[in-house]
PDB file of all heavy atoms in Angstrom:
ATOM      1  N   PRO L 144       9.016   6.807  -2.533  1.00 95.00           N
ATOM      2  CA  PRO L 144       8.625   6.918  -3.910  1.00 95.00           C
ATOM      3  C   PRO L 144       9.779   6.359  -4.834  1.00 95.00           C
ATOM      4  O   PRO L 144      10.843   6.580  -4.574  1.00 95.00           O
ATOM      5  CB  PRO L 144       8.444   8.399  -4.101  1.00 95.00           C
ATOM      6  CG  PRO L 144       8.068   8.945  -2.741  1.00 95.00           C
ATOM      7  CD  PRO L 144       8.809   8.123  -1.820  1.00 95.00           C
ATOM      8  N   ASN L 145       9.299   5.695  -5.879  1.00 96.00           N
ATOM      9  CA  ASN L 145      10.202   5.152  -6.870  1.00 96.00           C
ATOM     10  C   ASN L 145      10.373   6.087  -8.042  1.00 96.00           C
ATOM     11  O   ASN L 145       9.466   6.361  -8.743  1.00 96.00           O
ATOM     12  CB  ASN L 145       9.717   3.769  -7.378  1.00 96.00           C
ATOM     13  CG  ASN L 145      10.479   3.257  -8.588  1.00 96.00           C
ATOM     14  OD1 ASN L 145      11.705   3.426  -8.658  1.00 96.00           O
ATOM     15  ND2 ASN L 145       9.796   2.626  -9.516  1.00 96.00           N
ATOM     16  N   MET L 146      11.566   6.635  -8.095  1.00 96.00           N
ATOM     17  CA  MET L 146      11.900   7.567  -9.293  1.00 96.00           C
ATOM     18  C   MET L 146      12.359   6.689 -10.324  1.00 96.00           C
ATOM     19  O   MET L 146      13.424   6.032 -10.110  1.00 96.00           O
ATOM     20  CB  MET L 146      12.905   8.643  -8.863  1.00 96.00           C
ATOM     21  CG  MET L 146      12.444   9.552  -7.692  1.00 96.00           C
ATOM     22  SD  MET L 146      10.894  10.338  -8.058  1.00 96.00           S
ATOM     23  CE  MET L 146      11.382  11.705  -9.060  1.00 96.00           C
ATOM     24  N   PRO L 147      11.705   6.599 -11.507  1.00 96.00           N
ATOM     25  CA  PRO L 147      12.184   5.674 -12.532  1.00 96.00           C
ATOM     26  C   PRO L 147      13.546   6.036 -13.089  1.00 96.00           C
ATOM     27  O   PRO L 147      13.866   7.149 -13.122  1.00 96.00           O
ATOM     28  CB  PRO L 147      11.097   5.797 -13.551  1.00 96.00           C
ATOM     29  CG  PRO L 147      10.520   7.161 -13.417  1.00 96.00           C
ATOM     30  CD  PRO L 147      10.625   7.433 -11.967  1.00 96.00           C
ATOM     31  N   LYS L 148      14.240   4.994 -13.404  1.00 94.00           N
ATOM     32  CA  LYS L 148      15.593   5.216 -13.942  1.00 94.00           C
ATOM     33  C   LYS L 148      15.485   5.431 -15.456  1.00 94.00           C
ATOM     34  O   LYS L 148      15.929   4.571 -16.265  1.00 94.00           O
ATOM     35  CB  LYS L 148      16.481   3.963 -13.644  1.00 94.00           C
ATOM     36  CG  LYS L 148      16.483   3.505 -12.261  1.00 94.00           C
ATOM     37  CD  LYS L 148      17.445   4.336 -11.386  1.00 94.00           C
ATOM     38  CE  LYS L 148      17.357   3.867  -9.891  1.00 94.00           C
ATOM     39  NZ  LYS L 148      16.020   4.083  -9.247  1.00 94.00           N
ATOM     40  N   ILE L 149      14.896   6.582 -15.819  1.00 97.00           N
ATOM     41  CA  ILE L 149      14.765   6.876 -17.180  1.00 97.00           C
ATOM     42  C   ILE L 149      15.755   7.977 -17.457  1.00 97.00           C
ATOM     43  O   ILE L 149      15.811   8.976 -16.768  1.00 97.00           O
ATOM     44  CB  ILE L 149      13.394   7.389 -17.614  1.00 97.00           C
ATOM     45  CG1 ILE L 149      12.315   6.291 -17.253  1.00 97.00           C
ATOM     46  CG2 ILE L 149      13.273   7.667 -19.001  1.00 97.00           C
ATOM     47  CD1 ILE L 149      10.910   6.860 -17.331  1.00 97.00           C
ATOM     48  N   PRO L 150      16.661   7.765 -18.506  1.00 97.00           N
ATOM     49  CA  PRO L 150      17.681   8.882 -18.848  1.00 97.00           C
ATOM     50  C   PRO L 150      17.013  10.219 -19.051  1.00 97.00           C
ATOM     51  O   PRO L 150      15.883  10.326 -19.563  1.00 97.00           O
ATOM     52  CB  PRO L 150      18.362   8.437 -20.171  1.00 97.00           C
ATOM     53  CG  PRO L 150      18.082   6.934 -20.236  1.00 97.00           C
ATOM     54  CD  PRO L 150      16.703   6.666 -19.446  1.00 97.00           C
ATOM     55  N   GLY L 151      17.703  11.261 -18.436  1.00 97.00           N
ATOM     56  CA  GLY L 151      17.211  12.620 -18.624  1.00 97.00           C
ATOM     57  C   GLY L 151      16.064  13.045 -17.710  1.00 97.00           C
ATOM     58  O   GLY L 151      15.496  14.086 -17.971  1.00 97.00           O
ATOM     59  N   LEU L 152      15.834  12.290 -16.681  1.00 94.00           N
ATOM     60  CA  LEU L 152      14.705  12.632 -15.778  1.00 94.00           C
ATOM     61  C   LEU L 152      14.692  14.076 -15.358  1.00 94.00           C
ATOM     62  O   LEU L 152      13.666  14.756 -15.239  1.00 94.00           O
ATOM     63  CB  LEU L 152      14.646  11.666 -14.619  1.00 94.00           C
ATOM     64  CG  LEU L 152      13.312  11.687 -13.825  1.00 94.00           C
ATOM     65  CD1 LEU L 152      12.221  11.385 -14.679  1.00 94.00           C
ATOM     66  CD2 LEU L 152      13.440  10.677 -12.612  1.00 94.00           C
ATOM     67  N   GLY L 153      15.902  14.591 -14.983  1.00 93.00           N
ATOM     68  CA  GLY L 153      15.999  15.982 -14.515  1.00 93.00           C
ATOM     69  C   GLY L 153      15.894  16.999 -15.644  1.00 93.00           C
ATOM     70  O   GLY L 153      15.870  18.197 -15.306  1.00 93.00           O
ATOM     71  N   ASP L 154      15.827  16.545 -16.892  1.00 97.00           N
ATOM     72  CA  ASP L 154      15.927  17.607 -17.976  1.00 97.00           C
ATOM     73  C   ASP L 154      14.552  18.227 -18.293  1.00 97.00           C
ATOM     74  O   ASP L 154      14.479  19.278 -18.925  1.00 97.00           O
ATOM     75  CB  ASP L 154      16.329  16.861 -19.348  1.00 97.00           C
ATOM     76  CG  ASP L 154      17.789  16.344 -19.213  1.00 97.00           C
ATOM     77  OD1 ASP L 154      18.481  16.635 -18.192  1.00 97.00           O
ATOM     78  OD2 ASP L 154      18.192  15.640 -20.138  1.00 97.00           O
ATOM     79  N   PHE L 155      13.442  17.617 -17.804  1.00 98.00           N
ATOM     80  CA  PHE L 155      12.133  18.143 -18.162  1.00 98.00           C
ATOM     81  C   PHE L 155      12.045  19.583 -17.607  1.00 98.00           C
ATOM     82  O   PHE L 155      12.240  19.785 -16.389  1.00 98.00           O
ATOM     83  CB  PHE L 155      11.094  17.241 -17.642  1.00 98.00           C
ATOM     84  CG  PHE L 155       9.656  17.703 -18.050  1.00 98.00           C
ATOM     85  CD1 PHE L 155       9.311  17.728 -19.376  1.00 98.00           C
ATOM     86  CD2 PHE L 155       8.752  18.030 -17.088  1.00 98.00           C
ATOM     87  CE1 PHE L 155       8.035  18.188 -19.711  1.00 98.00           C
ATOM     88  CE2 PHE L 155       7.448  18.451 -17.389  1.00 98.00           C
ATOM     89  CZ  PHE L 155       7.137  18.506 -18.756  1.00 98.00           C
ATOM     90  N   ALA L 156      11.546  20.522 -18.463  1.00 98.00           N
ATOM     91  CA  ALA L 156      11.633  21.978 -17.991  1.00 98.00           C
ATOM     92  C   ALA L 156      10.383  22.272 -17.232  1.00 98.00           C
ATOM     93  O   ALA L 156      10.329  23.276 -16.440  1.00 98.00           O
ATOM     94  CB  ALA L 156      11.685  22.877 -19.273  1.00 98.00           C
ATOM     95  N   GLY L 157       9.268  21.474 -17.548  1.00 98.00           N
ATOM     96  CA  GLY L 157       8.049  21.879 -16.785  1.00 98.00           C
ATOM     97  C   GLY L 157       8.016  21.190 -15.410  1.00 98.00           C
ATOM     98  O   GLY L 157       8.927  20.554 -15.063  1.00 98.00           O
ATOM     99  N   PRO L 158       6.813  21.276 -14.714  1.00 98.00           N
ATOM    100  CA  PRO L 158       6.696  20.723 -13.418  1.00 98.00           C
ATOM    101  C   PRO L 158       6.615  19.195 -13.484  1.00 98.00           C
ATOM    102  O   PRO L 158       5.889  18.634 -14.359  1.00 98.00           O
ATOM    103  CB  PRO L 158       5.549  21.260 -12.768  1.00 98.00           C
ATOM    104  CG  PRO L 158       4.801  21.898 -13.875  1.00 98.00           C
ATOM    105  CD  PRO L 158       5.697  22.143 -15.045  1.00 98.00           C
ATOM    106  N   THR L 159       7.316  18.450 -12.564  1.00 98.00           N
ATOM    107  CA  THR L 159       7.228  16.975 -12.489  1.00 98.00           C
ATOM    108  C   THR L 159       6.683  16.674 -11.080  1.00 98.00           C
ATOM    109  O   THR L 159       7.047  17.084 -10.160  1.00 98.00           O
ATOM    110  CB  THR L 159       8.638  16.314 -12.586  1.00 98.00           C
ATOM    111  OG1 THR L 159       9.295  16.786 -13.803  1.00 98.00           O
ATOM    112  CG2 THR L 159       8.561  14.846 -12.562  1.00 98.00           C
ATOM    113  N   TYR L 160       5.505  15.803 -11.120  1.00 98.00           N
ATOM    114  CA  TYR L 160       4.906  15.473  -9.862  1.00 98.00           C
ATOM    115  C   TYR L 160       4.954  13.920  -9.736  1.00 98.00           C
ATOM    116  O   TYR L 160       4.730  13.115 -10.616  1.00 98.00           O
ATOM    117  CB  TYR L 160       3.438  15.875  -9.871  1.00 98.00           C
ATOM    118  CG  TYR L 160       3.229  17.342 -10.241  1.00 98.00           C
ATOM    119  CD1 TYR L 160       2.832  17.653 -11.582  1.00 98.00           C
ATOM    120  CD2 TYR L 160       3.485  18.306  -9.351  1.00 98.00           C
ATOM    121  CE1 TYR L 160       2.535  18.958 -11.868  1.00 98.00           C
ATOM    122  CE2 TYR L 160       3.261  19.658  -9.593  1.00 98.00           C
ATOM    123  CZ  TYR L 160       2.835  19.991 -10.894  1.00 98.00           C
ATOM    124  OH  TYR L 160       2.537  21.234 -11.279  1.00 98.00           O
ATOM    125  N   HIS L 161       5.297  13.440  -8.492  1.00 98.00           N
ATOM    126  CA  HIS L 161       5.120  12.027  -8.204  1.00 98.00           C
ATOM    127  C   HIS L 161       3.908  11.812  -7.423  1.00 98.00           C
ATOM    128  O   HIS L 161       3.658  12.537  -6.355  1.00 98.00           O
ATOM    129  CB  HIS L 161       6.389  11.535  -7.430  1.00 98.00           C
ATOM    130  CG  HIS L 161       6.504  10.090  -7.359  1.00 98.00           C
ATOM    131  ND1 HIS L 161       5.652   9.284  -6.631  1.00 98.00           N
ATOM    132  CD2 HIS L 161       7.355   9.131  -7.903  1.00 98.00           C
ATOM    133  CE1 HIS L 161       5.952   7.946  -6.746  1.00 98.00           C
ATOM    134  NE2 HIS L 161       6.998   7.900  -7.455  1.00 98.00           N
ATOM    135  N   THR L 162       3.056  10.821  -7.704  1.00 98.00           N
ATOM    136  CA  THR L 162       1.786  10.617  -7.027  1.00 98.00           C
ATOM    137  C   THR L 162       1.977  10.366  -5.566  1.00 98.00           C
ATOM    138  O   THR L 162       1.155  10.795  -4.769  1.00 98.00           O
ATOM    139  CB  THR L 162       1.058   9.439  -7.648  1.00 98.00           C
ATOM    140  OG1 THR L 162       1.913   8.247  -7.745  1.00 98.00           O
ATOM    141  CG2 THR L 162       0.392   9.785  -8.948  1.00 98.00           C
ATOM    142  N   GLY L 163       3.163   9.772  -5.198  1.00 97.00           N
ATOM    143  CA  GLY L 163       3.367   9.475  -3.784  1.00 97.00           C
ATOM    144  C   GLY L 163       3.933  10.635  -2.945  1.00 97.00           C
ATOM    145  O   GLY L 163       4.157  10.479  -1.748  1.00 97.00           O
ATOM    146  N   ASN L 164       4.108  11.764  -3.588  1.00 96.00           N
ATOM    147  CA  ASN L 164       4.711  12.926  -2.852  1.00 96.00           C
ATOM    148  C   ASN L 164       4.092  14.160  -3.532  1.00 96.00           C
ATOM    149  O   ASN L 164       4.819  14.948  -4.096  1.00 96.00           O
ATOM    150  CB  ASN L 164       6.204  12.973  -2.918  1.00 96.00           C
ATOM    151  CG  ASN L 164       6.792  13.923  -2.056  1.00 96.00           C
ATOM    152  OD1 ASN L 164       6.108  14.684  -1.251  1.00 96.00           O
ATOM    153  ND2 ASN L 164       8.115  14.108  -2.103  1.00 96.00           N
ATOM    154  N   TRP L 165       2.732  14.309  -3.460  1.00 97.00           N
ATOM    155  CA  TRP L 165       2.048  15.237  -4.306  1.00 97.00           C
ATOM    156  C   TRP L 165       1.974  16.607  -3.577  1.00 97.00           C
ATOM    157  O   TRP L 165       1.894  16.656  -2.328  1.00 97.00           O
ATOM    158  CB  TRP L 165       0.511  14.789  -4.410  1.00 97.00           C
ATOM    159  CG  TRP L 165      -0.149  15.404  -5.567  1.00 97.00           C
ATOM    160  CD1 TRP L 165      -1.117  16.397  -5.518  1.00 97.00           C
ATOM    161  CD2 TRP L 165       0.013  15.057  -6.896  1.00 97.00           C
ATOM    162  NE1 TRP L 165      -1.504  16.713  -6.779  1.00 97.00           N
ATOM    163  CE2 TRP L 165      -0.927  15.909  -7.715  1.00 97.00           C
ATOM    164  CE3 TRP L 165       0.773  14.158  -7.670  1.00 97.00           C
ATOM    165  CZ2 TRP L 165      -1.045  15.896  -9.041  1.00 97.00           C
ATOM    166  CZ3 TRP L 165       0.675  14.095  -9.063  1.00 97.00           C
ATOM    167  CH2 TRP L 165      -0.243  14.877  -9.674  1.00 97.00           C
ATOM    168  N   PRO L 166       2.086  17.770  -4.294  1.00 97.00           N
ATOM    169  CA  PRO L 166       2.029  19.057  -3.681  1.00 97.00           C
ATOM    170  C   PRO L 166       0.770  19.267  -2.842  1.00 97.00           C
ATOM    171  O   PRO L 166      -0.344  18.867  -3.234  1.00 97.00           O
ATOM    172  CB  PRO L 166       1.975  20.028  -4.904  1.00 97.00           C
ATOM    173  CG  PRO L 166       2.566  19.293  -5.951  1.00 97.00           C
ATOM    174  CD  PRO L 166       2.206  17.823  -5.705  1.00 97.00           C
ATOM    175  N   HIS L 167       1.019  19.736  -1.637  1.00 95.00           N
ATOM    176  CA  HIS L 167      -0.133  19.848  -0.628  1.00 95.00           C
ATOM    177  C   HIS L 167      -1.147  20.891  -1.092  1.00 95.00           C
ATOM    178  O   HIS L 167      -2.390  20.784  -0.802  1.00 95.00           O
ATOM    179  CB  HIS L 167       0.324  20.188   0.745  1.00 95.00           C
ATOM    180  CG  HIS L 167       1.018  19.035   1.367  1.00 95.00           C
ATOM    181  ND1 HIS L 167       1.278  18.945   2.679  1.00 95.00           N
ATOM    182  CD2 HIS L 167       1.446  17.911   0.817  1.00 95.00           C
ATOM    183  CE1 HIS L 167       1.884  17.768   2.980  1.00 95.00           C
ATOM    184  NE2 HIS L 167       2.016  17.102   1.815  1.00 95.00           N
ATOM    185  N   GLU L 168      -0.769  21.858  -1.891  1.00 96.00           N
ATOM    186  CA  GLU L 168      -1.763  22.853  -2.347  1.00 96.00           C
ATOM    187  C   GLU L 168      -2.505  22.385  -3.548  1.00 96.00           C
ATOM    188  O   GLU L 168      -3.391  23.029  -4.090  1.00 96.00           O
ATOM    189  CB  GLU L 168      -1.029  24.189  -2.638  1.00 96.00           C
ATOM    190  CG  GLU L 168      -0.044  24.139  -3.825  1.00 96.00           C
ATOM    191  CD  GLU L 168       1.374  23.590  -3.362  1.00 96.00           C
ATOM    192  OE1 GLU L 168       1.501  22.959  -2.327  1.00 96.00           O
ATOM    193  OE2 GLU L 168       2.292  23.662  -4.171  1.00 96.00           O
ATOM    194  N   GLY L 169      -2.273  21.147  -4.028  1.00 96.00           N
ATOM    195  CA  GLY L 169      -2.975  20.532  -5.088  1.00 96.00           C
ATOM    196  C   GLY L 169      -2.375  21.061  -6.473  1.00 96.00           C
ATOM    197  O   GLY L 169      -1.583  21.990  -6.498  1.00 96.00           O
ATOM    198  N   VAL L 170      -2.844  20.421  -7.572  1.00 98.00           N
ATOM    199  CA  VAL L 170      -2.329  20.884  -8.878  1.00 98.00           C
ATOM    200  C   VAL L 170      -3.612  20.968  -9.814  1.00 98.00           C
ATOM    201  O   VAL L 170      -4.348  20.087  -9.779  1.00 98.00           O
ATOM    202  CB  VAL L 170      -1.351  19.769  -9.521  1.00 98.00           C
ATOM    203  CG1 VAL L 170      -0.885  20.274 -10.829  1.00 98.00           C
ATOM    204  CG2 VAL L 170      -0.189  19.529  -8.487  1.00 98.00           C
ATOM    205  N   ASP L 171      -3.613  22.135 -10.428  1.00 97.00           N
ATOM    206  CA  ASP L 171      -4.803  22.326 -11.355  1.00 97.00           C
ATOM    207  C   ASP L 171      -4.242  22.198 -12.846  1.00 97.00           C
ATOM    208  O   ASP L 171      -3.439  22.918 -13.245  1.00 97.00           O
ATOM    209  CB  ASP L 171      -5.326  23.785 -11.211  1.00 97.00           C
ATOM    210  CG  ASP L 171      -6.520  23.968 -12.090  1.00 97.00           C
ATOM    211  OD1 ASP L 171      -6.948  23.107 -12.797  1.00 97.00           O
ATOM    212  OD2 ASP L 171      -6.937  25.100 -12.071  1.00 97.00           O
ATOM    213  N   PHE L 172      -4.731  21.040 -13.442  1.00 98.00           N
ATOM    214  CA  PHE L 172      -4.234  20.735 -14.787  1.00 98.00           C
ATOM    215  C   PHE L 172      -5.059  21.460 -15.920  1.00 98.00           C
ATOM    216  O   PHE L 172      -4.849  21.144 -17.089  1.00 98.00           O
ATOM    217  CB  PHE L 172      -4.141  19.259 -15.038  1.00 98.00           C
ATOM    218  CG  PHE L 172      -3.123  18.554 -14.200  1.00 98.00           C
ATOM    219  CD1 PHE L 172      -3.489  17.734 -13.139  1.00 98.00           C
ATOM    220  CD2 PHE L 172      -1.806  18.704 -14.495  1.00 98.00           C
ATOM    221  CE1 PHE L 172      -2.586  16.982 -12.382  1.00 98.00           C
ATOM    222  CE2 PHE L 172      -0.840  18.012 -13.726  1.00 98.00           C
ATOM    223  CZ  PHE L 172      -1.199  17.244 -12.662  1.00 98.00           C
ATOM    224  N   THR L 173      -5.996  22.305 -15.518  1.00 98.00           N
ATOM    225  CA  THR L 173      -6.986  22.839 -16.488  1.00 98.00           C
ATOM    226  C   THR L 173      -6.101  23.539 -17.659  1.00 98.00           C
ATOM    227  O   THR L 173      -5.356  24.419 -17.446  1.00 98.00           O
ATOM    228  CB  THR L 173      -7.804  23.964 -15.804  1.00 98.00           C
ATOM    229  OG1 THR L 173      -8.478  23.287 -14.697  1.00 98.00           O
ATOM    230  CG2 THR L 173      -8.808  24.490 -16.774  1.00 98.00           C
TER     231      THR L 173
END
Side-chain angles (χ1 to χ4, degrees):
N145 169 37
M146 299 306 278
K148 309 280 177 294
I149 304 174
L152 193 58
D154 294 352
F155 184 60
T159 302
Y160 308 104
H161 193 292
T162 46
N164 191 5
W165 200 259
H167 287 197
E168 62 280 13
V170 181
D171 182 4
F172 292 109
T173 306

